[in-house]
Amino acid sequence: MPHQKLISRLQAASGLSDQDQTRLTRLPYKVKSLADGEYVLRQGDKPSSCIVVMSGLLSRQRVVNARNQISSFYLAGDMPDLPTLHLPIADCDLCSVGSSTIAAVPHSALREMMNESAGLAHAFWRETLIHAAIYREWVENLGSRQALGRVAHLLCELTVRMEFVGLADSGSFRIPLTQQDVADACGLSVVHVNRTIQEIRGLGLIEWENHTVTLLRPEELKALAEFSPEYLHELNPSGGSKVS
Amino acid sequence: MPHQKLISRLQAASGLSDQDQTRLTRLPYKVKSLADGEYVLRQGDKPSSCIVVMSGLLSRQRVVNARNQISSFYLAGDMPDLPTLHLPIADCDLCSVGSSTIAAVPHSALREMMNESAGLAHAFWRETLIHAAIYREWVENLGSRQALGRVAHLLCELTVRMEFVGLADSGSFRIPLTQQDVADACGLSVVHVNRTIQEIRGLGLIEWENHTVTLLRPEELKALAEFSPEYLHELNPSGGSKVS
DNA sequence: CGGGGGCTTGAAACTGATCAAAACGCGTGG
DNA sequence: CCACGCGTTTTGATCAGTTTCAAGCCCCCG
């Protein structure tokens, strides 16, 4: 039960056969703990294993134009560097936000497994497609919305994704994000993120203290963010309660 | 030789076997011509075939916050809706920019082909991973750069991708983009895009007239854009001359 | 108790948006 | 062949959102 969240996610989406499920549970892996700010992977690396996030939070980031731009967050059950299976050279850094634990699964074992089972290959391909959809949504977020909507949208996405892996309880979840992280993800300055969060607080839509985010009026926050969760392509949620 | 650009792209990246190549050439398809602004696919559609761009330019777009945000461009040889193979519901519109021709290949034929050949499944998966990398690069572009760098980066990306499919001749290529399209892609207003392009012109870095873009000093443009093409993961270019 | 990271606040400067209008090109129909 | 109309490009002026710089505060950790 190391990468259990991954398995149940794949199960929910692709309806794995019993055989495929045991293939997954038999995958070899090594667990590793990460401290806040520790790098899992650097741009240019050619890793020989893939990572599954077991707990905590990773960010994909790169320094562009003297800013640290975060292009994605990865939660428990996600495989941030699955692309390295087919694109060997990592094109971003992968960094732990707060402390995390990960499992490393050798490329060789994954390749072998997918050769044996086309169903599993599909399931993993699908995971990468969902992340691609998330990147596109971020493009829309950064390109079209101003600060208020941008931050609200990020919060909505994180909430739904946390719920999906059973880590959010009635719109409330622990997350070690600093306002600097939000700024890096939203393409804004820390100062402005601070004022923006205060504005969302002031509207009575969220609470955020002590590394815990609570959506007080989820529907209004979604409306503010123009958020619709279809792009996450989540079927059959496996745990956690729904926001709405 | 309908989707020839696609085949040579896959070939260059994944080194297909002769058998796989004939599988590709045997794929059934229907050709379709598109007028400027014609939609190939609308958000919410559940297509039963995938599109290969044969000539022209498609944009993926969605209306967000009363703006039309373009989240990607697709050139000859690209398969913009390959994700619908595993994520049935389209989450964006797909629209022709200028007139284009496309080939539609039934999902069923693609699925069958990939079941027969794991190598081809990998090759197509890889394509979707490259597009994911492009979306991430756009996140960085929109999140981190200001107007000048943003537009420059877009031009660099389009140049390299056009070269890769043999559609750019010494840094010069025809493309039916309007300044409005650039604005929609870069998250800027048309007015500001206009001034920005004039600035790049004024620096003597590009010419852009009559739907033809020419890079006059590619290296300086790349420097301005902080552009490095690794994210496109292009190996073994199949045609066209190099910029640098 | 001290130090430091993260959060908060204020004021000034800037980038880019918006509004408005004119010039340009190009295809169409008279 | 010219006049018209429309979409695209261009220009100017004003306005708004966001950044930057600077400083103070809070709170947790050592």
Side-chain angles (χ1 to χ4, degrees):
Chain A
M1 55 193 65
H3 36 301
Q4 189 51 51
K5 292 204 188 302
L6 170 64
I7 296 177
S8 51
R9 169 205 289 285
L10 295 175
Q11 175 59 38
S14 308
L16 304 173
S17 67
D18 291 352
Q19 206 182 14
D20 283 348
Q21 289 194 47
T22 56
R23 281 198 180 99
L24 283 170
T25 54
R26 275 200 216 122
L27 279 173
Y29 62 91
K30 276 198 191 126
V31 175
K32 205 180 157 192
S33 294
L34 301 169
D36 182 30
E38 194 174 341
Y39 285 88
V40 186
L41 198 68
R42 308 298 293 243
Q43 186 178 2
D45 285 356
K46 299 185 181 183
S48 59
S49 57
C50 282
I51 280 158
V52 184
V53 180
M54 291 171 62
S55 71
L57 180 67
L58 302 191
S59 67
R60 179 187 287 271
Q61 52 187 234
R62 208 162 70 93
V63 173
V64 178
N65 195 28
R67 275 190 79 256
N68 186 41
Q69 179 68 44
I70 294 178
S71 53
S72 200
F73 290 116
Y74 300 95
L75 318 181
D78 288 332
M79 296 188 67
D81 63 346
L82 189 52
T84 61
L85 254 189
H86 294 111
L87 303 175
I89 304 178
D91 51 13
C92 292
D93 291 345
L94 225 42
C95 180
S96 181
V97 181
S99 51
S100 308
T101 59
I102 59 176
V105 184
H107 281 175
S108 55
L110 287 168
R111 288 216 179 84
E112 194 182 336
M113 187 185 71
M114 293 189 199
N115 278 333
E116 287 172 12
S117 163
L120 280 170
H122 281 187
F124 281 95
W125 185 353
R126 191 175 180 281
E127 283 297 300
T128 63
L129 292 173
I130 290 175
H131 281 283
I134 296 176
Y135 306 142
R136 284 198 301 262
E137 194 77 19
W138 281 42
V139 169
E140 294 168 3
N141 200 32
L142 297 180
S144 296
R145 278 186 269 262
Q146 43 197 46
L148 194 60
R150 251 186 244 186
V151 174
H153 193 277
L154 176 62
L155 290 175
C156 288
E157 178 183 306
L158 288 173
T159 306
V160 171
R161 289 175 62 192
M162 289 294 262
E163 280 172 346
F164 190 59
V165 288
L167 291 176
D169 179 24
S170 58
S172 181
F173 55 97
R174 282 190 63 80
I175 196 160
L177 283 182
T178 65
Q179 295 188 353
Q180 181 68 60
D181 295 323
V182 176
D184 290 348
C186 291
L188 299 166
S189 67
V190 213
V191 172
H192 201 60
V193 163
N194 180 284
R195 301 196 227 260
T196 304
I197 290 176
Q198 285 182 60
E199 190 173 350
I200 301 179
R201 277 202 199 107
L203 292 167
L205 302 186
I206 65 161
E207 274 174 0
W208 188 343
E209 47 188 18
N210 207 254
H211 289 177
T212 303
V213 176
T214 307
L215 308 203
L216 299 176
R217 307 204 219 139
E219 289 309 322
E220 287 179 46
L221 188 70
K222 284 186 196 176
L224 184 67
E226 263 192 290
F227 179 81
S228 55
E230 289 81 36
Y231 71 97
L232 294 167
H233 294 271
E234 297 190 345
L235 330 158
N236 216 1
S238 69
S241 47
K242 276 282 164 231
V243 157
S244 43
Chain B
M1 54 195 63
H3 36 300
Q4 189 52 51
K5 291 203 189 306
L6 170 64
I7 295 177
S8 52
R9 170 205 289 285
L10 295 175
Q11 175 60 35
S14 308
L16 304 173
S17 68
D18 291 351
Q19 205 182 15
D20 283 348
Q21 290 194 47
T22 56
R23 280 198 181 99
L24 282 170
T25 54
R26 276 201 215 121
L27 278 174
Y29 62 92
K30 274 197 191 127
V31 175
K32 206 181 157 190
S33 295
L34 300 169
D36 182 30
E38 194 174 340
Y39 286 88
V40 186
L41 199 69
R42 308 298 294 242
Q43 186 178 1
D45 283 358
K46 300 185 182 182
S48 59
S49 57
C50 281
I51 280 158
V52 184
V53 180
M54 291 171 61
S55 71
L57 180 67
L58 301 192
S59 67
R60 179 187 287 272
Q61 52 186 236
R62 208 161 69 94
V63 173
V64 177
N65 196 28
R67 274 190 80 256
N68 186 41
Q69 179 68 44
I70 293 178
S71 53
S72 201
F73 290 115
Y74 300 94
L75 318 181
D78 288 332
M79 296 187 69
D81 63 345
L82 191 50
T84 61
L85 210 50
H86 294 112
L87 303 175
I89 304 180
D91 52 14
C92 292
D93 291 345
L94 225 43
C95 180
S96 181
V97 181
S99 51
S100 308
T101 58
I102 59 175
V105 185
H107 281 175
S108 54
L110 287 167
R111 288 215 181 83
E112 195 183 333
M113 187 185 70
M114 294 187 198
N115 279 334
E116 287 173 11
S117 164
L120 280 170
H122 280 186
F124 280 95
W125 185 354
R126 190 174 181 282
E127 283 298 300
T128 63
L129 292 173
I130 290 175
H131 280 282
I134 296 176
Y135 306 142
R136 284 198 301 261
E137 194 76 18
W138 282 42
V139 169
E140 294 167 4
N141 199 32
L142 297 179
S144 296
R145 279 186 268 262
Q146 43 196 48
L148 195 60
R150 251 186 245 186
V151 174
H153 193 277
L154 176 63
L155 290 175
C156 288
E157 178 184 306
L158 288 174
T159 306
V160 172
R161 288 175 63 192
M162 289 294 262
E163 280 172 347
F164 190 59
V165 288
L167 291 176
D169 179 25
S170 58
S172 180
F173 54 97
R174 281 191 64 81
I175 196 161
L177 282 182
T178 65
Q179 295 188 355
Q180 181 67 62
D181 294 324
V182 176
D184 290 349
C186 292
L188 298 166
S189 67
V190 212
V191 172
H192 202 61
V193 163
N194 180 282
R195 302 196 225 259
T196 304
I197 290 176
Q198 286 182 57
E199 190 172 351
I200 302 179
R201 278 201 200 108
L203 292 168
L205 303 186
I206 65 162
E207 275 175 1
W208 188 341
E209 48 189 16
N210 207 255
H211 289 176
T212 303
V213 176
T214 306
L215 307 204
L216 299 176
R217 308 204 220 138
E219 289 309 323
E220 288 179 45
L221 189 69
K222 283 186 197 176
L224 184 66
E226 261 192 289
F227 179 81
S228 55
E230 291 80 35
Y231 71 97
L232 295 167
H233 295 270
E234 296 189 346
L235 330 159
N236 214 2
S238 68
S241 47
K242 275 288 173 226
V243 158
S244 44

